[in-house]
Amino acid sequence: ALFGVKPSENLPNTQGFEYYSGGIYELTPPPSVRPAALASSKLPPSFDWRNRHGKNWMTEVQNQGNCGSCWAFSVVGAIEAVANLYFNQLLNLNLSEQQLVSCSRQGSCFGGQHVSALYYYYSEGLVKEECLPYRASHFIPCNKCNNWEEKVVQTLFNDNFIISPSAFFFYSDDEEIKVRLITDGPLVASYDLWPGGGRH
C-alpha cells in the first residue's frame, strides 16, 4: 500500500527498511495505512545489528593489539557498519584505523577523542586499510599509499556517500540510547571506567 503496488507485483528491495529514517528511503506512512499499534509500540526486548533481517551488518572484529586505540576502532567500526546499512548491502568496507592514530592528532595509543576523530573523518575522509595498514603504534608516520586520494571514503554532502554515525550527541538515558541504536544504526560510545576517571 505504501508503494502503491499490488502484493503480486515486484517491490523494491526493502531489507532493513525501518533503518532508513534519513537515508535512501524517506517515507512516512499516511495515517490511513499506519497501524494504530505502531504509535504505541514499545522497544523490542533485544536488538542486534549482527543479526537483523538475517544478515550481520557489522564488519569483522579487529584486534587493536598493545595500543590503547579503542577510540579509533570504535569510530571506524561505526562508519563501516553504517555504510552497510545506508546502502542496504554488505559493502563491508575495511577502513584505516592507523590513519586516525597517525594522522588525525586526535589521540594515540594512550587514548583519544572519538568525537574529534569523527570530525576529522568528516573533513579529511579515511583511506582503506591497505593504504595505511594498522601497526598498533602511534610512532607510525602518516604516510599513505600512492594515489591515496582515489582511495578515500568520505562524507560528501553533494554526492551519494553520506555516513553519519551518531556520536555528536551525548545520551545518558538508556531508553534514548536504545532508540538511537535502532533508528540511527551502530553508535560510537564511551563509558566511565570509574567515578571521575577516564573515558573509553
Side-chain angles (χ1 to χ4, degrees):
L2 293 175
F3 284 101
V5 297
K6 298 177 181 178
S8 59
E9 297 175 339
N10 290 331
L11 287 169
N13 176 12
T14 58
Q15 189 166 10
F17 182 80
E18 71 273 18
Y19 169 75
Y20 298 111
S21 57
I24 296 172
Y25 295 104
E26 291 187 9
L27 182 63
T28 301
S32 60
V33 293
R34 192 173 193 179
L38 189 61
S40 60
S41 65
K42 295 181 179 180
L43 296 174
S46 64
F47 190 92
D48 193 339
W49 282 115
R50 294 172 300 174
N51 183 16
R52 190 68 178 158
H53 309 293
K55 291 187 178 182
N56 180 1
W57 298 94
M58 305 300 296
T59 52
E60 291 186 7
V61 175
Q62 304 292 324
N63 185 352
Q64 69 189 57
N66 190 26
C67 173
S69 55
C70 54
W71 58 277
F73 279 84
S74 67
V75 168
V76 170
I79 292 169
E80 292 170 346
V82 172
N84 286 340
L85 291 167
Y86 184 87
F87 291 102
N88 195 26
Q89 56 184 300
L90 299 181
L91 299 176
N92 289 333
L93 297 171
N94 187 8
L95 303 178
S96 172
E97 292 87 3
Q98 190 66 51
Q99 182 181 347
L100 288 179
V101 175
S102 297
C103 308
S104 71
R105 298 183 180 178
Q106 302 307 320
S108 67
C109 284
F110 299 109
Q113 299 296 323
H114 59 279
V115 174
S116 299
L118 265 173
Y119 276 117
Y120 171 87
Y121 161 67
Y122 286 142
S123 63
E124 302 295 329
L126 291 175
V127 296
K128 295 184 179 180
E129 174 71 14
E130 65 267 19
C131 190
L132 186 54
Y134 185 69
R135 296 289 184 260
S137 171
H138 53 234
F139 296 111
I140 303 299
C142 181
N143 294 334
K144 303 169 192 171
C145 63
N146 294 331
N147 301 321
W148 65 268
E149 296 92 342
E150 301 173 4
K151 302 177 182 180
V152 171
V153 174
Q154 187 176 15
T155 57
L156 300 175
F157 292 96
N158 59 351
D159 203 345
N160 62 351
F161 204 86
I162 304 173
I163 308 299
S164 300
S166 289
F168 292 111
F169 306 97
F170 295 93
Y171 308 114
S172 57
D173 180 77
D174 288 348
E175 289 302 301
E176 180 66 13
I177 293 173
K178 292 177 184 178
V179 169
R180 293 294 176 177
L181 182 65
I182 293 171
T183 60
D184 295 345
L187 307 176
V188 178
S190 67
Y191 64 91
D192 287 324
L193 290 176
W194 59 85
R199 299 178 68 86
H200 288 270

